[in-house]
mmCIF file of all heavy atoms in Angstrom:
data_model
loop_
_atom_site.group_PDB
_atom_site.id
_atom_site.type_symbol
_atom_site.label_atom_id
_atom_site.label_comp_id
_atom_site.label_asym_id
_atom_site.label_seq_id
_atom_site.Cartn_x
_atom_site.Cartn_y
_atom_site.Cartn_z
ATOM 1 N N LEU A 26 -17.157 34.215 -12.794
ATOM 2 C CA LEU A 26 -17.542 35.562 -12.406
ATOM 3 C C LEU A 26 -16.824 36.587 -13.263
ATOM 4 O O LEU A 26 -17.408 37.573 -13.698
ATOM 5 C CB LEU A 26 -17.203 35.801 -10.937
ATOM 6 C CG LEU A 26 -18.343 35.557 -9.962
ATOM 7 C CD1 LEU A 26 -17.875 35.845 -8.552
ATOM 8 C CD2 LEU A 26 -19.535 36.451 -10.308
ATOM 9 N N CYS A 29 -18.468 36.856 -16.992
ATOM 10 C CA CYS A 29 -19.798 37.220 -17.406
ATOM 11 C C CYS A 29 -20.287 38.524 -16.808
ATOM 12 O O CYS A 29 -19.804 38.966 -15.777
ATOM 13 C CB CYS A 29 -20.798 36.097 -17.083
ATOM 14 S SG CYS A 29 -21.104 35.919 -15.343
ATOM 15 N N ALA A 64 -25.813 42.386 -6.881
ATOM 16 C CA ALA A 64 -25.157 41.081 -6.884
ATOM 17 C C ALA A 64 -25.082 40.498 -8.292
ATOM 18 O O ALA A 64 -24.539 39.424 -8.490
ATOM 19 C CB ALA A 64 -25.893 40.123 -5.955
ATOM 20 N N ASP A 65 -25.653 41.196 -9.267
ATOM 21 C CA ASP A 65 -25.565 40.833 -10.673
ATOM 22 C C ASP A 65 -26.112 39.444 -10.981
ATOM 23 O O ASP A 65 -25.531 38.688 -11.757
ATOM 24 C CB ASP A 65 -24.101 40.925 -11.143
ATOM 25 C CG ASP A 65 -24.019 41.430 -12.582
ATOM 26 O OD1 ASP A 65 -25.089 41.645 -13.182
ATOM 27 O OD2 ASP A 65 -22.906 41.596 -13.094
ATOM 28 N N CYS A 66 -27.248 39.100 -10.386
ATOM 29 C CA CYS A 66 -27.873 37.799 -10.632
ATOM 30 C C CYS A 66 -28.228 37.629 -12.113
ATOM 31 O O CYS A 66 -28.126 36.534 -12.667
ATOM 32 C CB CYS A 66 -29.156 37.650 -9.817
ATOM 33 S SG CYS A 66 -28.980 38.098 -8.078
ATOM 34 N N CYS A 69 -25.998 35.930 -15.045
ATOM 35 C CA CYS A 69 -25.992 34.488 -15.292
ATOM 36 C C CYS A 69 -27.394 33.903 -15.428
ATOM 37 O O CYS A 69 -27.549 32.761 -15.851
ATOM 38 C CB CYS A 69 -25.258 33.763 -14.173
ATOM 39 S SG CYS A 69 -23.536 34.259 -13.995
ATOM 40 N N HIS A 70 -28.414 34.648 -15.037
ATOM 41 C CA HIS A 70 -29.764 34.080 -15.050
ATOM 42 C C HIS A 70 -30.696 34.718 -16.084
ATOM 43 O O HIS A 70 -31.843 34.292 -16.215
ATOM 44 C CB HIS A 70 -30.392 34.172 -13.646
ATOM 45 C CG HIS A 70 -29.774 33.222 -12.664
ATOM 46 N ND1 HIS A 70 -30.093 31.883 -12.622
ATOM 47 C CD2 HIS A 70 -28.820 33.396 -11.714
ATOM 48 C CE1 HIS A 70 -29.381 31.282 -11.670
ATOM 49 N NE2 HIS A 70 -28.597 32.183 -11.110
ATOM 50 N N LEU A 84 -22.457 29.631 -19.772
ATOM 51 C CA LEU A 84 -21.290 29.996 -18.972
ATOM 52 C C LEU A 84 -20.164 29.010 -19.238
ATOM 53 O O LEU A 84 -20.137 27.912 -18.687
ATOM 54 C CB LEU A 84 -21.664 29.983 -17.481
ATOM 55 C CG LEU A 84 -22.835 30.887 -17.072
ATOM 56 C CD1 LEU A 84 -23.374 30.487 -15.707
ATOM 57 C CD2 LEU A 84 -22.416 32.346 -17.069
ATOM 58 N N THR A 94 -29.816 28.981 -14.539
ATOM 59 C CA THR A 94 -31.132 28.347 -14.428
ATOM 60 C C THR A 94 -32.268 29.373 -14.373
ATOM 61 O O THR A 94 -32.040 30.564 -14.205
ATOM 62 C CB THR A 94 -31.189 27.466 -13.167
ATOM 63 O OG1 THR A 94 -30.722 28.244 -12.064
ATOM 64 C CG2 THR A 94 -30.329 26.235 -13.318
ATOM 65 N N ILE A 96 -34.914 31.207 -12.565
ATOM 66 C CA ILE A 96 -35.248 31.552 -11.173
ATOM 67 C C ILE A 96 -36.475 32.464 -11.111
ATOM 68 O O ILE A 96 -36.646 33.237 -10.174
ATOM 69 C CB ILE A 96 -34.051 32.142 -10.383
ATOM 70 C CG1 ILE A 96 -33.430 33.356 -11.083
ATOM 71 C CG2 ILE A 96 -32.986 31.080 -10.152
ATOM 72 C CD1 ILE A 96 -32.406 34.103 -10.207
ATOM 73 N N TRP A 107 -40.418 27.089 -4.153
ATOM 74 C CA TRP A 107 -39.432 27.296 -3.089
ATOM 75 C C TRP A 107 -39.979 28.217 -2.000
ATOM 76 O O TRP A 107 -40.686 29.176 -2.266
ATOM 77 C CB TRP A 107 -38.178 27.944 -3.658
ATOM 78 C CG TRP A 107 -37.317 27.063 -4.511
ATOM 79 C CD1 TRP A 107 -37.727 26.081 -5.374
ATOM 80 C CD2 TRP A 107 -35.890 27.103 -4.606
ATOM 81 N NE1 TRP A 107 -36.638 25.516 -5.985
ATOM 82 C CE2 TRP A 107 -35.509 26.118 -5.544
ATOM 83 C CE3 TRP A 107 -34.908 27.875 -3.994
ATOM 84 C CZ2 TRP A 107 -34.171 25.893 -5.872
ATOM 85 C CZ3 TRP A 107 -33.583 27.645 -4.327
ATOM 86 C CH2 TRP A 107 -33.220 26.658 -5.250
ATOM 87 N N PHE A 112 -34.607 29.344 -0.464
ATOM 88 C CA PHE A 112 -33.853 30.355 -1.211
ATOM 89 C C PHE A 112 -32.600 30.774 -0.441
ATOM 90 O O PHE A 112 -31.507 30.863 -1.007
ATOM 91 C CB PHE A 112 -34.768 31.559 -1.469
ATOM 92 C CG PHE A 112 -34.155 32.602 -2.364
ATOM 93 C CD1 PHE A 112 -34.063 32.394 -3.738
ATOM 94 C CD2 PHE A 112 -33.688 33.800 -1.844
ATOM 95 C CE1 PHE A 112 -33.502 33.362 -4.569
ATOM 96 C CE2 PHE A 112 -33.129 34.771 -2.662
ATOM 97 C CZ PHE A 112 -33.036 34.553 -4.041
ATOM 98 N N LEU A 116 -28.512 30.270 -1.564
ATOM 99 C CA LEU A 116 -27.522 31.337 -1.647
ATOM 100 C C LEU A 116 -26.432 31.197 -0.596
ATOM 101 O O LEU A 116 -25.277 31.502 -0.846
ATOM 102 C CB LEU A 116 -28.199 32.716 -1.514
ATOM 103 C CG LEU A 116 -28.571 33.330 -2.870
ATOM 104 C CD1 LEU A 116 -29.707 32.574 -3.508
ATOM 105 C CD2 LEU A 116 -28.903 34.801 -2.744
ATOM 106 N N LYS A 124 -30.976 19.184 -4.597
ATOM 107 C CA LYS A 124 -29.598 18.884 -5.010
ATOM 108 C C LYS A 124 -28.586 19.874 -4.441
ATOM 109 O O LYS A 124 -28.950 20.953 -3.982
ATOM 110 C CB LYS A 124 -29.489 18.924 -6.540
ATOM 111 C CG LYS A 124 -29.910 20.272 -7.126
ATOM 112 C CD LYS A 124 -29.878 20.243 -8.649
ATOM 113 C CE LYS A 124 -30.276 21.570 -9.239
ATOM 114 N NZ LYS A 124 -31.712 21.756 -9.417
ATOM 115 N N LEU A 126 -25.759 22.534 -5.325
ATOM 116 C CA LEU A 126 -25.493 23.368 -6.494
ATOM 117 C C LEU A 126 -24.000 23.395 -6.810
ATOM 118 O O LEU A 126 -23.162 23.301 -5.909
ATOM 119 C CB LEU A 126 -25.978 24.798 -6.240
ATOM 120 C CG LEU A 126 -27.480 24.940 -5.993
ATOM 121 C CD1 LEU A 126 -27.817 26.380 -5.620
ATOM 122 C CD2 LEU A 126 -28.272 24.503 -7.211
ATOM 123 N N TYR A 127 -23.706 23.539 -8.073
ATOM 124 C CA TYR A 127 -22.321 23.734 -8.495
ATOM 125 C C TYR A 127 -21.854 25.121 -8.061
ATOM 126 O O TYR A 127 -22.642 26.072 -8.098
ATOM 127 C CB TYR A 127 -22.207 23.644 -10.018
ATOM 128 C CG TYR A 127 -22.195 22.237 -10.534
ATOM 129 C CD1 TYR A 127 -23.332 21.673 -11.107
ATOM 130 C CD2 TYR A 127 -21.034 21.470 -10.464
ATOM 131 C CE1 TYR A 127 -23.327 20.381 -11.590
ATOM 132 C CE2 TYR A 127 -21.027 20.168 -10.943
ATOM 133 C CZ TYR A 127 -22.161 19.629 -11.510
ATOM 134 O OH TYR A 127 -22.149 18.351 -11.985
ATOM 135 N N ALA A 129 -20.463 27.114 -9.713
ATOM 136 C CA ALA A 129 -20.672 28.057 -10.811
ATOM 137 C C ALA A 129 -21.705 29.087 -10.369
ATOM 138 O O ALA A 129 -21.706 30.229 -10.821
ATOM 139 C CB ALA A 129 -21.174 27.317 -12.044
ATOM 140 N N MET A 130 -22.621 28.672 -9.493
ATOM 141 C CA MET A 130 -23.506 29.585 -8.783
ATOM 142 C C MET A 130 -22.669 30.072 -7.596
ATOM 143 O O MET A 130 -22.323 29.274 -6.710
ATOM 144 C CB MET A 130 -24.760 28.833 -8.344
ATOM 145 C CG MET A 130 -25.584 29.505 -7.261
ATOM 146 S SD MET A 130 -26.281 31.075 -7.806
ATOM 147 C CE MET A 130 -26.822 31.720 -6.225
ATOM 148 N N PRO A 131 -22.281 31.367 -7.555
ATOM 149 C CA PRO A 131 -21.243 31.813 -6.604
ATOM 150 C C PRO A 131 -21.713 31.925 -5.148
ATOM 151 O O PRO A 131 -21.615 32.968 -4.520
ATOM 152 C CB PRO A 131 -20.819 33.174 -7.162
ATOM 153 C CG PRO A 131 -21.932 33.636 -8.023
ATOM 154 C CD PRO A 131 -22.704 32.434 -8.470
ATOM 155 N N TYR A 135 -21.962 34.657 -1.941
ATOM 156 C CA TYR A 135 -23.256 35.081 -1.412
ATOM 157 C C TYR A 135 -23.478 34.621 0.023
ATOM 158 O O TYR A 135 -24.428 35.022 0.677
ATOM 159 C CB TYR A 135 -24.390 34.573 -2.312
ATOM 160 C CG TYR A 135 -24.353 35.155 -3.706
ATOM 161 C CD1 TYR A 135 -24.789 34.417 -4.809
ATOM 162 C CD2 TYR A 135 -23.876 36.448 -3.926
ATOM 163 C CE1 TYR A 135 -24.753 34.948 -6.081
ATOM 164 C CE2 TYR A 135 -23.834 36.979 -5.194
ATOM 165 C CZ TYR A 135 -24.278 36.233 -6.281
ATOM 166 O OH TYR A 135 -24.239 36.760 -7.531
ATOM 167 N N MET A 146 -34.606 39.735 -1.818
ATOM 168 C CA MET A 146 -34.434 39.250 -3.195
ATOM 169 C C MET A 146 -35.491 38.205 -3.537
ATOM 170 O O MET A 146 -36.005 38.162 -4.645
ATOM 171 C CB MET A 146 -33.024 38.681 -3.388
ATOM 172 C CG MET A 146 -31.987 39.753 -3.583
ATOM 173 S SD MET A 146 -30.427 39.076 -4.163
ATOM 174 C CE MET A 146 -29.673 38.691 -2.619
ATOM 175 N N ASN A 160 -34.979 24.308 -17.858
ATOM 176 C CA ASN A 160 -33.534 24.480 -17.712
ATOM 177 C C ASN A 160 -32.789 23.607 -18.713
ATOM 178 O O ASN A 160 -33.211 22.493 -19.014
ATOM 179 C CB ASN A 160 -33.091 24.108 -16.295
ATOM 180 C CG ASN A 160 -33.495 25.173 -15.291
ATOM 181 O OD1 ASN A 160 -33.461 26.367 -15.589
ATOM 182 N ND2 ASN A 160 -33.885 24.732 -14.110
ATOM 183 N N HIS A 163 -26.511 21.107 -17.869
ATOM 184 C CA HIS A 163 -25.116 21.517 -18.037
ATOM 185 C C HIS A 163 -24.393 20.472 -18.887
ATOM 186 O O HIS A 163 -24.733 19.294 -18.860
ATOM 187 C CB HIS A 163 -24.414 21.615 -16.678
ATOM 188 C CG HIS A 163 -25.113 22.521 -15.709
ATOM 189 N ND1 HIS A 163 -25.542 23.782 -16.046
ATOM 190 C CD2 HIS A 163 -25.476 22.342 -14.413
ATOM 191 C CE1 HIS A 163 -26.123 24.329 -14.990
ATOM 192 N NE2 HIS A 163 -26.102 23.473 -13.992
ATOM 193 N N ARG A 172 -22.581 15.408 -9.398
ATOM 194 C CA ARG A 172 -22.926 16.271 -8.267
ATOM 195 C C ARG A 172 -22.473 15.685 -6.934
ATOM 196 O O ARG A 172 -22.323 16.405 -5.966
ATOM 197 C CB ARG A 172 -24.441 16.507 -8.223
ATOM 198 C CG ARG A 172 -24.896 17.621 -9.138
ATOM 199 C CD ARG A 172 -26.350 17.990 -8.927
ATOM 200 N NE ARG A 172 -26.838 18.727 -10.083
ATOM 201 C CZ ARG A 172 -26.815 20.055 -10.171
ATOM 202 N NH1 ARG A 172 -26.363 20.791 -9.186
ATOM 203 N NH2 ARG A 172 -27.258 20.650 -11.258
HETATM 204 C C1 LIG B 1 -21.585 33.545 -12.141
HETATM 205 C C2 LIG B 1 -22.919 33.165 -12.558
HETATM 206 C C3 LIG B 1 -24.068 33.292 -11.555
HETATM 207 C C4 LIG B 1 -24.438 34.384 -10.806
HETATM 208 C C5 LIG B 1 -23.785 35.751 -10.765
HETATM 209 C C6 LIG B 1 -25.625 33.979 -10.074
HETATM 210 N N1 LIG B 1 -25.948 32.686 -10.350
HETATM 211 FE FE1 LIG B 1 -27.471 31.628 -9.539
HETATM 212 N N2 LIG B 1 -26.853 29.961 -10.553
HETATM 213 C C7 LIG B 1 -25.833 29.926 -11.489
HETATM 214 C C8 LIG B 1 -25.746 28.585 -12.040
HETATM 215 C C9 LIG B 1 -24.769 28.111 -13.111
HETATM 216 C C10 LIG B 1 -26.739 27.819 -11.388
HETATM 217 C C11 LIG B 1 -27.020 26.328 -11.566
HETATM 218 C C12 LIG B 1 -26.157 25.573 -10.588
HETATM 219 C C13 LIG B 1 -26.377 24.088 -10.598
HETATM 220 O O1 LIG B 1 -27.046 23.573 -11.495
HETATM 221 O O2 LIG B 1 -25.875 23.423 -9.695
HETATM 222 C C14 LIG B 1 -27.417 28.718 -10.464
HETATM 223 C C15 LIG B 1 -28.460 28.335 -9.625
HETATM 224 C C16 LIG B 1 -29.206 29.202 -8.858
HETATM 225 C C17 LIG B 1 -30.355 28.834 -8.072
HETATM 226 C C18 LIG B 1 -30.917 27.422 -7.957
HETATM 227 C C19 LIG B 1 -31.930 27.256 -9.050
HETATM 228 C C20 LIG B 1 -32.371 25.858 -9.328
HETATM 229 O O3 LIG B 1 -33.167 25.709 -10.259
HETATM 230 O O4 LIG B 1 -31.963 24.910 -8.680
HETATM 231 C C21 LIG B 1 -30.857 29.983 -7.486
HETATM 232 C C22 LIG B 1 -32.077 30.114 -6.586
HETATM 233 C C23 LIG B 1 -29.999 31.075 -7.898
HETATM 234 N N3 LIG B 1 -29.001 30.560 -8.725
HETATM 235 C C24 LIG B 1 -30.184 32.373 -7.529
HETATM 236 C C25 LIG B 1 -29.271 33.392 -7.815
HETATM 237 C C26 LIG B 1 -29.386 34.734 -7.292
HETATM 238 C C27 LIG B 1 -30.527 35.253 -6.431
HETATM 239 C C28 LIG B 1 -28.287 35.417 -7.739
HETATM 240 C C29 LIG B 1 -27.883 36.851 -7.398
HETATM 241 C C30 LIG B 1 -27.807 37.133 -5.975
HETATM 242 C C31 LIG B 1 -27.506 34.489 -8.560
HETATM 243 N N4 LIG B 1 -28.139 33.285 -8.579
HETATM 244 C C32 LIG B 1 -26.324 34.818 -9.214
HETATM 245 C C33 LIG B 1 -25.021 30.976 -11.843
HETATM 246 C C34 LIG B 1 -25.029 32.230 -11.263
#
Side-chain angles (χ1 to χ4, degrees):
L26 265 181
C29 70
D65 216 358
C66 312
C69 300
H70 289 281
L84 303 163
T94 50
I96 55 170
W107 288 35
F112 186 76
L116 267 70
K124 58 184 181 274
L126 298 175
Y127 281 102
M130 163 64 192
Y135 296 148
M146 281 193 272
N160 286 323
H163 305 312
R172 277 189 198 268

